């Protein structure tokens, strides 16, 4: 499994502009200049998982934040990222699962950049105990009658 993860991480090294070694836990943790910590690993189903811990909200703010996360999910497909709660640490997490066979090195920037930007926005919001602003993506028109999708 480590060999497979090492091979996958090689594809991400140009994006992060540094070597990405696998640690003793079978994962790779990257500390970004923005303060975001990005963890990459293979899960038990051999899916590539990339995730960020965003903070540990509490009380009424925690409920409001989860409602905001549900609202975010209504605008963006699961391929953009998924919010969840770590049962062990009670931290809000944001993650993506990718099939390793479908990771194309020349397309990583297309999905990883928006994922990291979303994680950064939400991490900053949690750090400041505020709700992030959510902007719905522009509706695309297509087809003969320019119907919205």
């Amino acid at each position: 499994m480590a060999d497979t993860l090492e091979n996958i991480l090689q594809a991400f090294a140009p994006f992060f502009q540094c070597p990405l070694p696998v640690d003793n836990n079978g994962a790779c943790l990257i500390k970004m200049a923005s303060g975001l910590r990005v963890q990459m690993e293979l899960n038990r189903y051999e899916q590539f998982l990339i995730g960020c811990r965003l903070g540990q909200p509490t009380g009424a703010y925690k409920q409001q934040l989860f409602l905001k996360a549900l609202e975010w999910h209504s605008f963006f497909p699961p391929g953009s990222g998924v919010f969840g709660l770590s049962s062990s640490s009670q931290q809000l997490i944001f993650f993506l699962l990718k099939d390793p066979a479908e990771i194309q090195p020349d397309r990583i920037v297309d999905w990883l950049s928006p994922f990291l930007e979303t994680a950064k926005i939400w991490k900053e919001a949690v750090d400041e105990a505020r709700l992030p602003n959510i902007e719905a993506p522009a509706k695309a028109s297509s087809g003969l009658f320019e119907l919205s999708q």
Side-chain angles (χ1 to χ4, degrees):
M1 192 150 94
D3 286 341
T4 305
L5 181 58
E6 287 174 352
N7 291 337
I8 295 169
L9 292 175
Q10 286 179 359
F12 287 83
F15 179 88
F16 288 105
Q17 300 178 348
C18 66
L20 302 172
V22 177
D23 63 21
N24 294 336
N25 298 318
C28 178
L29 182 64
I30 303 161
K31 298 173 188 170
M32 311 268 307
S34 65
L36 196 62
R37 296 167 61 113
V38 180
Q39 184 169 326
M40 297 185 286
E41 62 187 57
L42 291 176
N43 70 8
R44 64 178 165 237
Y45 305 108
E46 299 289 317
Q47 294 291 304
F48 182 69
L49 182 134
I50 181 165
C52 305
R53 294 177 190 263
L54 304 178
Q56 193 172 21
T58 59
Y61 171 66
K62 181 178 182 178
Q63 293 173 336
Q64 293 171 340
L65 191 64
F66 287 146
L67 288 174
K68 202 65 155 167
L70 288 172
E71 180 184 343
W72 184 90
H73 280 291
S74 72
F75 291 122
F76 298 93
S80 303
V82 177
F83 287 99
L85 180 68
S86 169
S87 58
S88 60
S89 68
Q90 294 298 302
Q91 288 204 38
L92 179 67
I93 57 173
F94 186 58
F95 67 94
L96 267 175
L97 284 173
K98 293 281 188 184
D99 180 343
E102 295 177 4
I103 295 174
Q104 300 172 354
D106 59 330
R107 303 295 312 258
I108 288 172
V109 69
D110 296 342
W111 56 267
L112 188 55
S113 292
F115 171 83
L116 293 174
E117 183 61 28
T118 299
K120 180 178 176 268
I121 289 167
W122 281 72
K123 171 114 178 77
E124 289 170 353
V126 173
D127 288 348
E128 297 168 9
R130 63 175 173 77
L131 297 175
N133 291 327
I134 297 175
E135 294 183 26
K139 291 192 176 191
S141 297
S142 66
L144 178 63
F145 301 106
E146 297 184 16
L147 300 174
S148 296
Q149 294 180 346

